Amino acid sequence: MAETVRVFDTTLRDGEQAPGFSMTPAEKLRLARQLEALGVDVIEAGFPMASEGDFAGVEAVARACRTVQVAALARALEADVRRAALALAAASKPRLHVFVATSEIHLKHKLRKTRAEVLADTFKAVALARSLVADVEFSAEDATRSDREFLASVLEAAVAAGATTLNIPDTVGYSVPSEYANLIGYLRAHVRGTRAADGVTWSVHCHNDLGLAVANSLAAVGAGARQVECTINGIGERAGNAALEEVAMALHVRRDSLPYATGLALEQLHPTSQLLTEITGVTVQPNKAIVGANAFAHEAGIHQDGMLKSPMTYEIMTPRTVGRAGHELVLGKHSGRHALQARLTELGFALDREQLQRAYVDFLAAVDERKAVTERELRAIARRSGAAPAFAPAACPGDSTESLWAV
């Protein structure tokens, strides 16, 4: 059986920190219920010390979501840890997520602390967290720009204090897949107390500043990570986080080279993406993998011809797998005669070769001028070609969600 990779969703915390994605406690709760339906393993509901609203959001999610772990973020400070624990008080499966920066850049310019101070802060904060909840995760912020030996020593301190999940963030999206996988391998080999028998899970949290968040996450899974931190639609600070839907479908589609499983209900991916868009008012770009408007849409004539013969020619997954109604064949200037004929046939017209040629010339003139044509215009084009309706159309105009066509 395939090994399981846990999905840690941070849409409500890291995702919400991105400009334009702020959510009220009620909106957080609504999305959290959908994330629970999706089947994520952990929902990071917020950063309670950040604001009263964040505290209320974490508290609401902790009370309502009973089948999933609910996490709250805290800096390695006593006040943060206690505030996060208080927000999680009603959770059935609470997790405290403690973090501290470990790179020289952050120690010098942000924390203004020595390595010894960071080591002490780590042990103290994790030990306090473990005294308050049974499940503690520790993150070494900016891990990929940290000295490896020092990073390993901080992680050892976290494990000694009671952390059972160690997260290695690529906080600024700086790493590349081979380098990141190598780092995970190095830490697994050099951090004491993290063998398989010790019950410690290695986790990864990748940002997308170089467009490599998903690739880095998958490389880390191959190197032994068994938790991936990600967000719906890839939202998050700056260029965002690893997109949950992309990680999930890469593991599903490429089980031959990535023999790992998640517990996700994949058919809930698109509905969850749509709900996030509804709540925030921010849509995803059309060419976004899995959930973008064009992810299962085809306009090029060669592609449409292949799709009409077999969807497997140009699609590596079915739309229904991710909860979408179906794929679309978009009639535009790149469409071929086969696609036009198929659509006109669906509308109830039977065209001979000459009629089809006249209709195709007429159609290209229309889309060159206006980029798109309506169903009414398609019917007019068919009639001008000399074709008459030969039978009842396959569906009444515009009323079928099963139609492949968009015009």
Side-chain angles (χ1 to χ4, degrees):
M1 293 180 63
E3 288 189 64
T4 298
V5 172
R6 292 171 59 81
V7 176
F8 179 112
D9 182 274
T10 186
T11 305
L12 301 180
R13 198 278 299 172
D14 198 324
E16 194 212 14
Q17 290 178 190
F21 289 95
S22 180
M23 293 176 243
T24 67
E27 290 170 335
K28 279 194 170 189
L29 178 56
R30 187 180 174 200
L31 185 58
R33 291 185 187 279
Q34 177 58 33
L35 291 170
E36 192 171 28
L38 174 60
V40 303
D41 297 285
V42 185
I43 297 174
E44 187 169 48
F47 187 1
M49 200 65 175
S51 70
E52 289 299 323
D54 242 31
F55 181 92
V58 173
E59 192 173 44
V61 173
R63 289 183 183 279
C65 298
R66 313 307 291 173
T67 64
V68 62
Q69 283 190 287
V70 178
L73 186 69
R75 292 169 295 182
L77 300 170
E78 180 178 351
D80 273 39
V81 173
R82 292 193 183 278
R83 183 70 168 163
L86 184 61
L88 291 171
S92 62
K93 300 177 181 179
R95 172 181 289 191
L96 274 173
H97 183 187
V98 178
F99 77 98
V100 71
T102 54
S103 70
E104 287 299 316
I105 295 171
H106 280 243
L107 266 64
K108 178 180 178 181
H109 297 288
K110 186 182 75 172
L111 297 181
R112 297 179 180 176
K113 290 187 175 183
T114 66
R115 291 185 174 187
E117 288 174 317
V118 168
L119 275 169
D121 288 348
T122 297
F123 186 89
K124 183 178 178 180
V126 172
L128 174 61
R130 187 59 186 268
S131 74
L132 299 171
V133 299
D135 190 332
V136 178
E137 174 172 339
F138 174 76
S139 285
E141 186 184 9
D142 206 22
T144 55
R145 294 193 297 174
S146 298
D147 174 79
R148 287 188 172 190
E149 290 186 7
F150 175 62
L151 176 60
S153 66
V154 173
L155 295 170
E156 281 188 8
V159 171
T164 53
T165 300
L166 296 179
N167 186 44
I168 314 302
D170 186 23
T171 303
V172 293
Y174 178 72
S175 200
V176 297
S178 58
E179 177 184 71
Y180 196 49
N182 181 270
L183 175 61
I184 299 301
Y186 170 87
L187 294 172
R188 290 183 67 208
H190 289 84
V191 178
R192 289 171 293 185
T194 61
R195 302 295 180 185
D198 298 317
V200 173
T201 299
W202 289 94
S203 173
V204 290
H205 177 118
C206 297
H207 279 264
N208 206 38
D209 297 74
L210 294 176
L212 295 171
V214 170
N216 283 335
S217 298
L218 295 175
V221 168
R226 290 297 177 267
Q227 177 180 280
V228 175
E229 304 196 359
C230 42
T231 61
I232 300 299
N233 295 346
I235 69 171
E237 293 276 10
R238 303 178 313 281
N241 290 266
L244 182 152
E245 60 278 1
E246 295 179 24
V247 172
M249 290 309 294
L251 293 176
H252 177 73
V253 173
R254 293 308 311 272
R255 283 170 290 187
D256 56 330
S257 60
L258 297 166
Y260 312 101
T262 69
L264 296 175
L266 298 177
E267 69 278 4
Q268 293 296 328
L269 287 173
H270 190 250
T272 308
S273 169
Q274 293 291 97
L275 178 58
L276 177 61
T277 293
E278 179 188 333
I279 289 172
T280 63
V282 183
T283 59
V284 298
Q285 72 269 28
N287 64 317
K288 169 75 172 62
I290 316 300
V291 295
N294 290 348
F296 296 92
H298 308 265
E299 182 181 332
I302 293 173
H303 287 227
Q304 290 178 338
D305 180 63
M307 287 293 295
L308 289 165
K309 292 171 179 174
S310 171
M312 290 189 296
T313 55
Y314 287 103
E315 288 184 352
I316 60 172
M317 66 193 87
T318 68
R320 294 187 187 280
T321 301
V322 300
R324 301 185 66 147
H327 43 240
E328 289 184 338
L329 303 185
V330 180
L331 287 178
K333 69 177 185 178
H334 303 106
S335 299
R337 291 171 183 79
H338 187 186
L340 178 62
Q341 182 179 35
R343 179 55 175 144
L344 293 178
T345 298
E346 185 179 289
L347 293 176
F349 294 90
L351 288 76
D352 61 27
R353 181 174 296 182
E354 291 182 4
Q355 290 169 336
L356 176 60
Q357 179 59 26
R358 286 196 294 271
Y360 186 62
V361 172
D362 197 356
F363 165 74
L364 288 181
V367 293
D368 276 339
E369 180 182 346
R370 297 188 299 281
K371 295 187 179 181
V373 294
T374 65
E375 189 170 291
R376 183 185 297 274
E377 288 173 311
L378 281 177
R379 293 176 181 277
I381 287 170
R383 292 190 181 95
R384 287 196 296 269
S385 75
F391 49 85
C396 294
D399 71 353
S400 175
T401 58
E402 296 296 324
S403 176
L404 298 180
W405 300 92
V407 294

